[in-house]
Amino acid sequence: MLTRRPRRNRKSAVIRAMVQENQVTVNDFIFPLFMIEGENKKEEIASMPGIYRYTVDLLVEEIGECLDLGIKTFCLFPSVSEDKKDSTATEGHNPEGLYQVALRTIKAKYPEAILMTDVAMDPYSSDGHDGIVRNGEILNDETLEVLGKMALAQAEAGADIIGPSDMMDGRIGYIREVLDDAGYTNVSIMSYSAKYASAFYGPFRDALDSAPKFGDKKTYQMDPANVKECLVEAELDFVEGADFLMVKPGLPYLDIIKTLSENFDIPITAYNVSGEYAMLKAAAQNGWLENDKAMMEMLLSFKRAGASAILTYFAKEAAVLLK
Ligand code: PBG
């Protein structure tokens, strides 16, 4: 005789909804958006169907549409022309540069939009690295100064959440101090704490033309083989003042999300990166997977693993479905 029949709790849609342990809502989403210079241009990214690079005027319109769908938080990434790049990423903290202009323009039109930034040298670096390069080496402490200038320029332009994605040591404490000294004590920091040296960033680097010009990012991004190391990184970021911890990529690193959520009492964000998006889009275009169902299942997996927020290129599509 079977006294315990787990299927009883699955017998109808109502019961299934009642016992559901995790949910994805539009409040969970942070929508990454790519920007280009110029006016009235919108270019689709070949390896990310449905995702575009926008000039600021069209970006503002896109944000308006997303706000109507209930998406409230956006993360901006700039695609900068080669002639604006240099070895110290000067353009990254130019108050009149694309990034800062975009922040100010969006905030002027939609003060309610929460804007998260990217702090790393790579989109502006002639070396395509996240740090200053000397004799083939990525310099840590010299890079912190550049990151501090970028974070400050972004805060001055209206950023709500600063997102250091570079994996230099000590960057959270350094940036926190720069922000606090300038009076930006209310600007948050979402640290890319456990960012792995991953093959899943390929389409993003196509989108920004930001691939490293030599070598790889393995001296700063983490080894995909490691778990314990994420606790060391997260501990430092926590102590240095991070408000959120991020795990990146998301799908192949659900164990890392779980590990951090079990060990830290601040919110964890999952970055459902470009390669994860491209994988599903390619399969869906071939008719091999059902886009909407696979997408929602993927997003749910981050919640189940312990993430509170999800940075995802699927945000707009998923918001339409959830509406
Ligand atoms: C750069 C940065 C990368 C991503 C976000 N910020 C790429 C990299 O580290 O090379 C990747 C995001 C994605 O793949 O969606 N600091």
Side-chain angles (χ1 to χ4, degrees), residues 116 160-165 168 170-177 179-180 185-194 230 232-247 260 264-269:
M116 172 176 165
D160 299 282
I161 304 173
I162 303 292
S165 66
M168 296 300 126
R171 69 209 195 287
I172 303 305
Y174 188 90
I175 291 171
R176 187 70 270 163
E177 198 178 324
L179 293 175
D180 289 352
T185 50
N186 280 335
V187 172
S188 313
I189 300 179
M190 183 179 292
S191 177
Y192 286 63
S193 299
C230 83
V232 176
E233 286 286 356
E235 178 66 23
L236 287 167
D237 291 350
F238 179 80
V239 169
E240 291 174 30
D243 302 287
F244 308 81
L245 306 175
M246 198 202 288
V247 175
L260 289 192
F264 290 89
D265 295 329
I266 56 174
I268 312 293
T269 303

Side-chain angles (χ1 to χ4, degrees), residues 227-301:
V227 181
K228 286 189 203 163
E229 197 180 353
C230 83
L231 293 170
V232 176
E233 286 286 356
E235 178 66 23
L236 287 167
D237 291 350
F238 179 80
V239 169
E240 291 174 30
D243 302 287
F244 308 81
L245 306 175
M246 198 202 288
V247 175
K248 177 183 177 186
L251 210 49
Y253 295 85
L254 292 173
D255 58 324
I256 306 299
I257 297 172
K258 188 153 182 68
T259 302
L260 289 192
S261 78
E262 285 172 350
N263 285 282
F264 290 89
D265 295 329
I266 56 174
I268 312 293
T269 303
Y271 197 149
N272 181 208
V273 300
S274 58
E276 300 167 45
Y277 178 85
M279 239 174 5
L280 175 50
K281 286 293 164 195
Q285 283 184 348
N286 276 293
W288 298 337
L289 283 175
E290 268 187 69
N291 183 77
D292 292 358
K293 285 186 181 157
M295 166 178 78
M296 293 314 293
E297 188 175 332
M298 201 189 264
L299 295 171
L300 186 60
S301 75

Side-chain angles (χ1 to χ4, degrees), residues 59-131:
L59 184 74
V60 172
E61 283 177 24
E62 173 67 7
I63 288 180
E65 273 181 37
C66 291
L67 288 167
D68 288 342
L69 288 167
I71 301 168
K72 302 169 189 87
T73 308
F74 304 89
C75 183
L76 305 180
F77 293 102
S79 172
V80 172
S81 57
E82 216 49 45
D83 59 298
K84 292 225 169 69
K85 299 184 182 182
D86 62 23
S87 60
T88 53
T90 319
E91 182 64 10
H93 49 83
N94 174 4
E96 298 312 319
L98 171 64
Y99 207 84
Q100 275 64 246
V101 168
L103 288 168
R104 286 197 299 267
T105 310
I106 298 163
K107 273 287 173 184
K109 179 94 194 267
Y110 297 115
E112 72 275 27
I114 298 298
L115 300 184
M116 172 176 165
T117 64
D118 182 54
V119 174
M121 288 178 53
D122 56 329
Y124 312 97
S125 156
S126 43
D127 298 301
H129 274 286
D130 293 16

